[in-house]
Amino acid sequence: MNSIEPIFWKNNKLSIIDQTRLPVDYVVIDLETREDVWHAIKTLQVRGAPAIGVCAAFGLLVALRERQPYGHPDEVRTALREAADYYATSRPTAVNLFWALKRMQATADDSDAATVDELLERLEREAVAICEEDKAQCRAIGEHGAPLIHDGDGVLTHCNA
């Protein structure tokens, strides 16, 4: 099964498909700063509640890496809270945004990481898990819905908000 994913995380770099350019143009943009991530969420360059949450989770890693170095894991936790509060202002009604931000904060708060690197690695694993869970849910929706769609059928999607 081939798929086009809207969010890419590789080598500590976050990129997204600029969904404001679809369907005419396929443009991938790099989100290199916390302001880039905030703007992408605010302007719906990343769309869909789950994708917004995934982008925010990886966006926290962008924000944390932007502020390095840290001397202690508690400094990472403080920077994470500040970045999460900032991202929360981008789309105040986005449920998945807040869910992902809270999940990443809980991961940091619950971690017994002894070093900054351990905590950053744990946060990256959590962001990847959020992304993988979303992909699995999307696949399941497609697999369950595919038998219901027949040649000539139309599909209408909409935001339930």
Side-chain angles (χ1 to χ4, degrees):
M1 177 182 344
N2 292 333
S3 66
I4 297 176
E5 298 174 19
I7 300 168
F8 313 93
W9 178 256
K10 188 172 182 178
N11 299 323
N12 295 321
K13 182 178 171 186
L14 178 60
S15 304
I16 64 167
I17 296 172
D18 183 348
Q19 294 181 38
T20 63
R21 305 284 300 273
L22 295 173
V24 176
D25 297 311
Y26 176 88
V27 177
V28 175
I29 56 174
D30 296 331
L31 306 180
E32 298 175 349
T33 67
R34 70 185 214 145
E35 287 77 17
D36 291 343
V37 174
W38 186 93
H39 182 263
I41 295 168
K42 177 72 173 178
T43 64
L44 292 174
Q45 287 176 303
V46 59
R47 287 188 186 161
I52 289 171
V54 170
C55 184
F58 285 122
L60 288 172
L61 299 175
V62 169
L64 291 175
R65 284 178 168 80
E66 189 176 31
R67 288 192 46 185
Q68 284 183 319
Y70 301 99
H72 189 274
D74 285 340
E75 293 176 26
V76 176
R77 290 180 183 95
T78 298
L80 181 78
R81 276 190 294 280
E82 291 170 2
D85 289 345
Y86 176 63
Y87 289 153
T89 66
S90 64
R91 295 207 70 75
T93 61
V95 173
N96 289 63
L97 169 66
F98 289 92
W99 170 82
L101 295 174
K102 287 177 185 173
R103 182 166 161 180
M104 292 291 284
Q105 287 178 359
T107 297
D109 292 342
D110 296 344
S111 173
D112 60 357
T115 69
V116 167
D117 287 342
E118 286 176 16
L119 182 53
L120 290 173
E121 288 171 17
R122 178 65 189 102
L123 288 166
E124 184 172 7
R125 285 195 308 272
E126 192 66 20
V128 169
I130 290 169
C131 184
E132 292 303 317
E133 290 165 16
D134 179 55
K135 285 191 226 178
Q137 289 174 350
C138 288
R139 265 188 231 100
I141 290 167
E143 289 168 0
H144 286 88
L148 303 174
I149 301 171
H150 304 89
D151 285 345
D153 285 353
V155 176
L156 173 66
T157 61
H158 63 92
C159 177
N160 287 322

